Amino acid sequence: MRILLSVLLFALAGISSVASAKNWLTLPDVAPAPQSNPTTAEKVELGKMLYFDPRLSSTGTVSCNSCHNVTLGGDDNRAFSMGVHGKLGGRSAPTVWNSAFNSVQFWDGRASSLEAQAEGPVTAGVEMGMKNWDEVVARLEKIPGYVSAFKTAFGDDAVISKDNATKAIASYERTLITPNSPYDRYVKGDETAMSKQQIRGMNSFSQVGCAACHSGAAFNGPILPVGTGFYFYFPTFTDNSYVTKYDLLKDKGRGEVTKDSGDDHRYKVPVLRNVALTAPYFHNGSVKTLDEAVKIMAKVQLNKVLSTEEAGDIVAFLNALTGEFPEQTFPRLPATNGKTLTP
Amino acid sequence: MRILLSVLLFALAGISSVASAKNWLTLPDVAPAPQSNPTTAEKVELGKMLYFDPRLSSTGTVSCNSCHNVTLGGDDNRAFSMGVHGKLGGRSAPTVWNSAFNSVQFWDGRASSLEAQAEGPVTAGVEMGMKNWDEVVARLEKIPGYVSAFKTAFGDDAVISKDNATKAIASYERTLITPNSPYDRYVKGDETAMSKQQIRGMNSFSQVGCAACHSGAAFNGPILPVGTGFYFYFPTFTDNSYVTKYDLLKDKGRGEVTKDSGDDHRYKVPVLRNVALTAPYFHNGSVKTLDEAVKIMAKVQLNKVLSTEEAGDIVAFLNALTGEFPEQTFPRLPATNGKTLTP
């Protein structure tokens, strides 16, 4: 039944398992923004401040950047993230880089936008640990520089609110794009941009069937309306040793959200841009290397056993998806002169 | 005896309790560097990478910047810092900004240089939690970008070592200087740079006696040879309610290091630059506001009770010590493609 549904999904998505040349898309320089939150320089600047501000956590020690570190691959390279008081989360942090190209957010797609996603971690007990957004807003209101920055970003009558804070954070995140990877330069015509092994790997990636799901500019599936997730079962083929070795059936994925058993073990197809930088792999971070992750994906999703050479080629290709990271200046976080807001 | 020693120290330091005009010094634009570690752009760049790299901690979650946050006042605005697994340190993190102007480091002066200071937190169990520096070096050696960055900074034959890593971090820290505060501009002749209240506070700061210890460009005492600490007893006057209320005698300060009871409750006189940004105050972070800290200092160090107005003026003056923070770009941390080095 699971396989049947998968096949059905393939058909519905209208994707050939062998990508044709026109299917190799390059990464746009600008991310789409919802009509309700057009990207402006002022919102980006405010959002960057909030993104890096550890005062959005109960202890004053954890910022968005703690687990989605933009100086690295946009995650924390851990199986499970570590939040306030050293508490551990239950899934591996996805990268923030190019997350603007997801039509839903979180592994289980429970947030329909970057704005909605930004609400969650701040008040999650094992992440940033604030009681609720009222507490967050009350704290931010005590920081004069934020009072003015929210007005600059949202207008003179604007107040500090969850809605405005998450809009600003999402606006900043929409600037986190990594164009001009070797892959992009190759697709645009620079035949020297990828090595021979990477070109072989690109073909294998398509022929083996990876590109069936991992298509599009961000390799996370077709462009769908915001809020419409492109999900797939993981693992699809369960009769193999990987499933137990890496405990791949413990987490119910989207089923945990919808409580519909038909959604059990379904996950958003993740972005593969910069995937070489985001070990360990999978929703549970159980797989330490990209090489092993590629072999597992072939087996549990496509029921194929890759040769060492084929896996190596695909890994080489995936390394060609590491893009150029835009230079950014540090935000200067606004002060509370002569007092502190954290313990 | 304690008071006698204090008076003796005053005399030895040759400081008048009323600072004359020539004693108001402005902050240099460049920090002195030891002959053994001249500051170079390459070392600064490497040091910045190391300073922001959470992979220098056992969990991969804590970097130097976690507790000495340069996007804020160079500390974490907490009483006690939170290290790996949520563990708490025993003293409040001093600011990294202008720390290059300290002749010794740590509250108890146990490190004679920024280089020596940088050794400590990385392997402290409650801070970054690495077993030892061999483990740190072994981890860094697995990151190809560091292997080359160490060579760029220290020469083609250079290896990754504790010595080179701490030299690089110290070089970066020597660039963390905040010139051009309202105070600096006032002293340089711009009479409008400080408010009337701040000017009154500047005079009170001198006349009350604060400037006896908090002299010099960084307000941390006279310029002494590197490794020679300028210490003072805190609290000096113990017959008051503050001492018990804020538990000021629990920590033995420098006495914990030297095991000499004559050093009990002695501390390095801390930098006052940007002090408005580094609440809570004192070695134990027990005092939440600068206003309260000023009143306590007057009582426990000078046996004086400040009027509300006088304290307010001094606080206003201390706010004039907030300088200009240099614009910095994020470092791009070198990758370990397809694998992770942390749990």
Side-chain angles (χ1 to χ4, degrees), chain A residues 52 54-55 59-61 69-73 76-79 82 85-86 97 276-277 279-281 288-290 319 325 327-340 342-343, chain B residues 52 54-55 59-61 69-73 76-79 82 85-86 97 276-277 279-281 288-290 319 325 327-340 342-343:
Chain A
F52 284 92
R55 293 170 296 184
T59 53
T61 61
N69 192 333
V70 300
T71 69
L72 290 161
D76 55 6
N77 293 124
R78 288 178 52 85
M82 191 169 272
H85 302 293
W97 287 106
L277 307 185
Y281 296 102
K288 291 192 186 304
T289 69
L290 186 55
N319 271 273
F325 293 83
E327 186 171 277
Q328 297 185 72
T329 55
F330 284 119
R332 186 84 223 133
L333 301 186
T336 50
N337 288 328
K339 62 186 177 192
T340 178
T342 48
Chain B
F52 283 92
R55 293 171 296 185
T59 53
T61 60
N69 191 333
V70 300
T71 69
L72 289 162
D76 55 5
N77 293 125
R78 288 179 51 86
M82 191 168 273
H85 301 293
W97 287 106
L277 308 185
Y281 296 102
K288 291 193 185 304
T289 69
L290 187 54
N319 271 274
F325 293 83
E327 187 170 277
Q328 296 185 72
T329 55
F330 284 117
R332 187 84 224 131
L333 301 187
T336 51
N337 288 327
K339 61 185 177 191
T340 179
T342 49

Side-chain angles (χ1 to χ4, degrees), chain A residues 224-237:
Chain A
L224 298 175
V226 170
T228 309
F230 181 59
Y231 301 103
F232 214 82
Y233 291 101
F234 176 83
T236 298
F237 297 92

Side-chain angles (χ1 to χ4, degrees), chain B residues 1-2 5 231-233 252 254-255 258-266:
Chain B
M1 182 58 181
R2 172 168 300 160
L5 271 170
Y231 301 103
F232 214 83
Y233 290 101
K252 289 193 176 166
R254 185 148 177 81
T258 64
K259 307 298 177 192
D260 175 349
S261 63
D263 281 332
D264 282 356
H265 312 300
R266 289 179 80 198

Side-chain angles (χ1 to χ4, degrees), chain A residues 114-136:
Chain A
L114 286 171
E115 286 80 357
Q117 189 281 331
E119 281 186 40
V122 180
T123 56
V126 296
E127 299 185 53
M128 297 165 83
M130 295 296 281
K131 282 198 199 93
N132 50 50
W133 268 92
D134 287 346
E135 189 185 40
V136 182

Side-chain angles (χ1 to χ4, degrees), chain B residues 128-306:
Chain B
M128 297 166 84
M130 295 297 280
K131 283 198 198 91
N132 50 51
W133 267 92
D134 287 346
E135 190 186 39
V136 181
V137 169
R139 188 182 280 182
L140 294 177
E141 283 173 342
K142 290 181 188 144
I143 305 173
Y146 275 129
V147 174
S148 55
F150 273 78
K151 290 191 191 303
T152 304
F154 292 101
D156 286 346
D157 297 334
V159 294
I160 296 178
S161 65
K162 175 179 78 174
D163 192 43
N164 285 338
T166 55
K167 278 182 174 170
I169 292 170
S171 294
Y172 169 61
E173 291 173 335
R174 290 196 176 95
T175 69
L176 300 177
I177 303 173
T178 60
N180 299 324
S181 68
Y183 160 84
D184 291 291
R185 289 184 275 120
Y186 180 83
V187 170
K188 284 177 182 169
D190 177 0
E191 291 183 12
T192 66
M194 293 208 299
S195 69
K196 281 182 181 158
Q197 189 188 20
Q198 289 174 327
I199 296 168
R200 278 203 312 272
M202 182 174 175
N203 290 326
S204 293
F205 183 84
S206 174
Q207 284 157 15
V208 168
C210 315
C213 285
H214 290 291
S215 62
F219 292 85
N220 60 343
I223 295 175
L224 298 175
V226 170
T228 309
F230 181 58
Y231 301 103
F232 214 83
Y233 290 101
F234 175 84
T236 298
F237 296 91
T238 56
D239 185 20
N240 58 72
S241 62
Y242 290 131
V243 172
T244 44
K245 181 172 182 187
Y246 296 111
D247 210 6
L248 300 182
L249 284 169
K250 182 182 177 192
D251 189 329
K252 289 193 176 166
R254 185 148 177 81
E256 309 265 7
V257 179
T258 64
K259 307 298 177 192
D260 175 349
S261 63
D263 281 332
D264 282 356
H265 312 300
R266 289 179 80 198
Y267 294 91
K268 177 190 73 179
V269 174
V271 165
L272 292 188
R273 293 277 175 180
N274 310 303
V275 68
L277 308 185
T278 61
Y281 296 102
F282 302 148
H283 63 276
N284 61 1
S286 59
V287 176
K288 291 193 185 304
T289 69
L290 187 54
D291 189 66
E292 178 80 344
V294 164
K295 287 175 186 160
I296 295 170
M297 285 301 285
K299 183 63 193 171
V300 307
Q301 298 304 93
L302 302 159
N303 205 22
K304 289 182 182 169
V305 177
L306 297 184

Side-chain angles (χ1 to χ4, degrees), chain A:
Chain A
M1 181 59 182
R2 171 168 300 157
I3 292 168
L4 185 64
L5 271 169
S6 301
V7 171
L8 196 67
L9 194 66
F10 266 73
L12 285 171
I15 304 159
S16 158
S17 69
V18 179
S20 65
K22 71 175 164 52
N23 286 341
W24 296 113
L25 302 176
T26 58
L27 197 66
D29 290 333
V30 177
Q35 272 199 317
S36 57
N37 188 25
T39 305
T40 66
E42 293 78 11
K43 278 191 267 184
V44 169
E45 193 53 35
L46 170 59
K48 191 204 259 185
M49 287 155 64
L50 294 167
Y51 189 89
F52 284 92
D53 200 328
R55 293 170 296 184
L56 265 68
S57 67
S58 60
T59 53
T61 61
V62 179
S63 70
C64 305
N65 191 65
S66 297
C67 302
H68 303 281
N69 192 333
V70 300
T71 69
L72 290 161
D75 74 333
D76 55 6
N77 293 124
R78 288 178 52 85
F80 298 126
S81 294
M82 191 169 272
V84 294
H85 302 293
K87 291 179 184 171
L88 292 179
R91 291 198 186 124
S92 193
T95 180
V96 69
W97 287 106
N98 308 301
S99 60
F101 298 106
N102 286 320
S103 55
V104 294
Q105 304 293 339
F106 292 116
W107 280 100
D108 54 23
R110 68 184 185 275
S112 62
S113 64
L114 286 171
E115 286 80 357
Q117 189 281 331
E119 281 186 40
V122 180
T123 56
V126 296
E127 299 185 53
M128 297 165 83
M130 295 296 281
K131 282 198 199 93
N132 50 50
W133 268 92
D134 287 346
E135 189 185 40
V136 182
V137 168
R139 189 182 279 181
L140 293 177
E141 283 172 341
K142 290 181 188 145
I143 305 173
Y146 274 128
V147 174
S148 55
F150 273 77
K151 291 190 189 304
T152 303
F154 293 100
D156 287 346
D157 297 334
V159 294
I160 296 177
S161 65
K162 175 179 77 174
D163 192 44
N164 285 338
T166 55
K167 277 182 173 170
I169 291 170
S171 294
Y172 169 62
E173 290 173 335
R174 290 194 176 96
T175 69
L176 299 177
I177 302 173
T178 62
N180 300 324
S181 68
Y183 159 84
D184 291 292
R185 288 185 275 120
Y186 179 83
V187 171
K188 284 178 182 168
D190 177 359
E191 291 184 11
T192 66
M194 293 207 299
S195 69
K196 282 183 180 155
Q197 189 188 19
Q198 288 174 327
I199 296 167
R200 277 202 314 273
M202 183 175 175
N203 290 326
S204 293
F205 183 85
S206 174
Q207 284 156 16
V208 167
C210 315
C213 285
H214 290 290
S215 62
F219 293 84
N220 61 342
I223 295 175
L224 298 175
V226 170
T228 309
F230 181 59
Y231 301 103
F232 214 82
Y233 291 101
F234 176 83
T236 298
F237 297 92
T238 56
D239 185 21
N240 58 72
S241 63
Y242 290 132
V243 172
T244 44
K245 182 173 181 186
Y246 296 112
D247 211 6
L248 299 182
L249 283 170
K250 183 181 178 192
D251 189 328
K252 291 194 176 165
R254 184 147 178 82
E256 309 266 6
V257 179
T258 63
K259 308 296 177 194
D260 175 348
S261 63
D263 281 332
D264 282 356
H265 313 299
R266 288 179 81 200
Y267 294 92
K268 177 189 73 179
V269 174
V271 165
L272 292 189
R273 293 276 175 181
N274 309 303
V275 68
L277 307 185
T278 61
Y281 296 102
F282 301 148
H283 63 275
N284 61 2
S286 59
V287 176
K288 291 192 186 304
T289 69
L290 186 55
D291 189 65
E292 178 80 345
V294 164
K295 288 175 186 159
I296 295 170
M297 285 301 286
K299 183 63 193 169
V300 308
Q301 299 304 92
L302 302 160
N303 205 22
K304 289 183 182 169
V305 177
L306 297 183
S307 69
T308 303
E309 196 188 18
E310 224 168 4
D313 290 351
I314 291 175
V315 167
F317 169 63
L318 293 175
N319 271 273
L321 302 184
T322 300
E324 286 177 4
F325 293 83
E327 186 171 277
Q328 297 185 72
T329 55
F330 284 119
R332 186 84 223 133
L333 301 186
T336 50
N337 288 328
K339 62 186 177 192
T340 178
L341 302 175
T342 48

